[in-house]
Amino acid sequence: MSEQEKKNSVLDKRSSRRTFIKNSGLTVGGVVLGGALGSLLLKDDKSITTEIQNHAKTPTANPNLALMFFTPKQYQVTQAAVERIFPEDANGPGAKELNAAVYIDHQLAGPWGSNVKDYRLGAFYKAEENQGPQTKILRKDLFLAGLDSLTKYSNEQYEVDFIDLEATQQDEVLLTFSEGKVELYGKVSSSQFFNLLRTLTIEGVYADPMYGGNNEMTGWSMRKYPGSRMQYVAEIQDEKFIELEPQSLNSHMGH
């Protein structure tokens, strides 16, 4: 084959390729769409291929940390409150760093926050001490009412928001709420909100990380709790205490 014939052959292939792209509906206004650009025209462009591969390897953020219920301000108030219930000390981080507020956000956003499994038809009576809350207010609404009251009460007593108080002042506010000395809307006692806040805080510190809290299983590590393990056959036969690295539920995904 002569040099001229070779050149004509190459031109024919390029023309055929352009015609295929045009006729296949892969162009809009002259712009190539979809994977056709990479597979037909840029097949040999190693620099672009490398760039695409590097982009694909970029780590993504942990989706568990996304807010599903709180506004940013409500989240900040919750963070401040949970930190006073489970503060940082010499043993390790507090509830704020352990993402207890994220856990609470996710719980209130789900069916549990809307009391979907509770009897909701009434009548609602004042409960005895051994009966627990007997109220028609939803957990998510109770918590939001409590957060609003924390801010309002703090402004009344100290002329600043709850998140701007000193730690000792925040403790005083929470103590007042725990004793039921503040009335939320709907004539609900502040002690109901505080009990809910305290329970959710402890859960957020020690629950499996898949629920948003217990960041990096640090809550378990502080307690030397091994987490979710399938068996302890070897360990229970040893007379000495064996400290194991904690495992979360997603640790079993490869089994």
Side-chain angles (χ1 to χ4, degrees):
M1 181 181 293
S2 66
E3 291 298 325
Q4 184 61 40
E5 289 175 334
K6 290 181 180 179
K7 291 181 180 180
N8 291 338
S9 177
V10 172
L11 291 174
D12 289 341
K13 289 181 180 179
R14 290 180 180 176
S15 177
S16 176
R17 183 177 297 176
R18 292 193 189 96
T19 302
F20 169 74
I21 295 173
K22 181 177 180 181
N23 293 339
S24 298
L26 296 172
T27 61
V28 176
V31 179
V32 182
L33 302 179
L37 181 61
S39 61
L40 296 177
L41 299 181
L42 303 175
K43 185 175 182 180
D44 298 325
D45 194 331
K46 296 182 179 179
S47 62
I48 295 181
T49 302
T50 302
E51 182 180 349
I52 294 174
Q53 290 176 345
N54 291 339
H55 179 72
K57 294 179 181 179
T58 303
T60 57
N62 183 355
N64 277 345
L65 299 183
L67 292 181
M68 302 168 61
F69 179 73
F70 290 138
T71 65
K73 182 62 178 294
Q74 292 167 346
Y75 176 64
Q76 292 171 4
V77 177
T78 304
Q79 280 188 311
V82 299
E83 183 67 14
R84 298 316 309 150
I85 293 177
F86 193 96
E88 178 183 5
D89 60 17
N91 296 314
K96 180 178 180 179
E97 186 176 339
L98 292 172
N99 291 339
V102 176
Y103 170 86
I104 295 174
D105 170 87
H106 292 188
Q107 292 300 306
L108 297 178
W112 184 84
S114 298
N115 299 63
V116 296
K117 292 187 178 182
D118 294 355
Y119 179 78
R120 306 293 303 152
L121 298 180
F124 299 96
Y125 301 99
K126 182 177 180 180
E128 300 295 334
E129 293 183 0
N130 63 337
Q131 290 182 310
Q134 303 287 319
T135 175
K136 61 182 178 181
I137 189 171
L138 301 178
R139 294 186 185 97
K140 62 180 183 180
D141 295 331
L142 170 61
F143 202 92
L144 292 183
L147 294 181
D148 290 341
S149 295
L150 280 179
T151 299
K152 180 180 178 181
Y153 183 83
S154 299
N155 276 284
E156 292 174 350
Q157 299 297 317
Y158 302 98
E159 298 183 350
V160 293
D161 289 345
F162 180 79
I163 58 177
D164 297 321
L165 294 176
E166 299 291 335
T168 54
Q169 294 173 326
Q170 291 177 340
D171 290 344
E172 292 174 0
V173 172
L174 290 174
L175 178 62
T176 300
F177 272 61
S178 70
E179 295 173 345
K181 295 181 179 180
V182 180
E183 187 176 276
L184 312 184
Y185 72 79
K187 296 184 178 181
V188 177
S189 171
S190 60
S191 63
Q192 291 189 32
F193 161 70
F194 178 83
N195 291 336
L196 181 62
L197 170 67
R198 179 178 57 190
T199 298
L200 289 174
T201 299
I202 301 303
E203 290 179 1
V205 168
Y206 294 118
D208 191 280
M210 70 173 293
Y211 298 108
N214 192 9
N215 186 29
E216 297 182 353
M217 297 180 284
T218 307
W220 288 347
S221 296
M222 289 191 293
R223 292 279 184 174
K224 293 182 171 35
Y225 176 65
S228 172
R229 287 179 173 267
M230 303 303 290
Q231 52 83 20
Y232 301 90
V233 174
E235 290 79 8
I236 61 176
Q237 299 180 42
D238 199 308
E239 296 181 358
K240 297 180 180 179
F241 176 76
I242 300 177
E243 184 173 349
L244 301 172
E245 290 294 325
Q247 292 183 356
S248 63
L249 290 173
N250 66 6
S251 300
H252 312 302
M253 296 294 288
H255 291 276

